[in-house]
Amino acid sequence: MKNLKYTQTGASLIEVLIAILILSFGMLSLGGMLSVSVQLPKLSAYRATATNLASSHVERIRANPDAFVNGSYVSGLNETSDWSFSTIALTNPCQFSGGTQCTSTTLAAADINEFRNAVRRELPAGDTIVKCSDSPCLKTSYGELTVVWQEPSTLAALDATSADNCPSEVTTLYASPKPKPRCLYVRFKVE
């Protein structure tokens, strides 16, 4: 009887090493997908928060159309140098007993103050812009509301190459080392 020699000694070890290499590439891509899946709910929560805040402010404007027509709701970015997390104090609060009586203008100032503080509280480095599409503004004019915030710098795949729906006031304030701002643009009619 002949004695058979195995000429392929060590081949199974190479096959195992190749299988481990292929498996490690799969696990690496799975880890990248996991980090994106953890980030995306937070980023979509910012957009949902901005939508809710914008909707609330549009309803306040619709409740006070005279102040919108006279330009009391029109506002630009609060700080021209940079966005901040600080809240804004109302200088002339609208009160029903004692102090300043409520007018359409003081009510608009209180609405703007409350809206801006809510945006700054709930969005990272949040701010707002409210414009009227016509000059002079009429009750039939369209209003334009933009909520601006800066998302934390995340994966390069999530960082946009340009700011989304941001007006020129916002994009000129953007400095290169910071993440690009995110904007929610809402066009509404008061009447």
Side-chain angles (χ1 to χ4, degrees):
M1 202 159 272
K2 286 187 174 178
N3 196 0
L4 297 174
K5 288 187 177 180
Y6 294 110
T7 58
Q8 295 185 357
T9 58
S12 61
L13 182 63
I14 293 173
E15 291 171 355
V16 168
L17 288 175
I18 290 173
I20 289 174
L21 181 68
I22 292 171
L23 184 66
S24 66
F25 281 129
M27 296 298 273
L28 202 70
S29 64
L30 186 65
M33 286 180 53
L34 182 64
S35 68
V36 169
S37 69
V38 168
Q39 288 174 341
L40 287 180
K42 184 65 176 171
L43 300 181
S44 67
Y46 288 145
R47 187 153 306 267
T49 299
T51 303
N52 289 335
L53 291 170
S55 175
S56 171
H57 193 57
V58 167
E59 292 305 316
R60 287 175 182 250
I61 292 172
R62 287 183 176 149
N64 192 0
D66 294 333
F68 178 72
V69 170
N70 72 22
S72 297
Y73 279 102
V74 173
S75 61
L77 290 174
N78 189 45
E79 298 174 8
T80 57
S81 61
D82 202 355
W83 293 295
S84 114
F85 291 95
S86 61
T87 57
I88 308 153
L90 182 60
T91 57
N92 205 6
C94 182
Q95 299 174 352
F96 290 105
S97 61
T100 307
Q101 295 299 314
C102 280
T103 64
S104 62
T105 305
T106 57
L107 186 58
D111 287 346
I112 290 170
N113 183 59
E114 187 175 328
F115 176 56
R116 272 217 164 113
N117 284 331
V119 167
R120 285 179 175 230
R121 215 178 21 253
E122 297 182 29
L123 293 172
D127 210 341
T128 64
I129 301 169
V130 179
K131 296 179 186 178
C132 184
S133 62
D134 298 328
S135 182
C137 196
L138 307 169
K139 284 187 181 180
T140 58
S141 298
Y142 284 96
E144 299 174 351
L145 182 139
T146 306
V147 179
V148 182
W149 70 96
Q150 287 185 328
E151 292 175 347
S153 184
T154 57
L155 295 175
L158 297 176
D159 289 337
T161 55
S162 65
D164 59 341
N165 293 326
C166 290
S168 60
E169 301 97 307
V170 175
T171 54
T172 55
L173 287 178
Y174 168 71
S176 184
K178 294 181 187 176
K180 297 205 181 300
R182 299 291 180 184
C183 298
L184 174 77
Y185 174 78
V186 178
R187 186 175 170 143
F188 61 93
K189 196 162 192 170
V190 175
E191 191 175 67

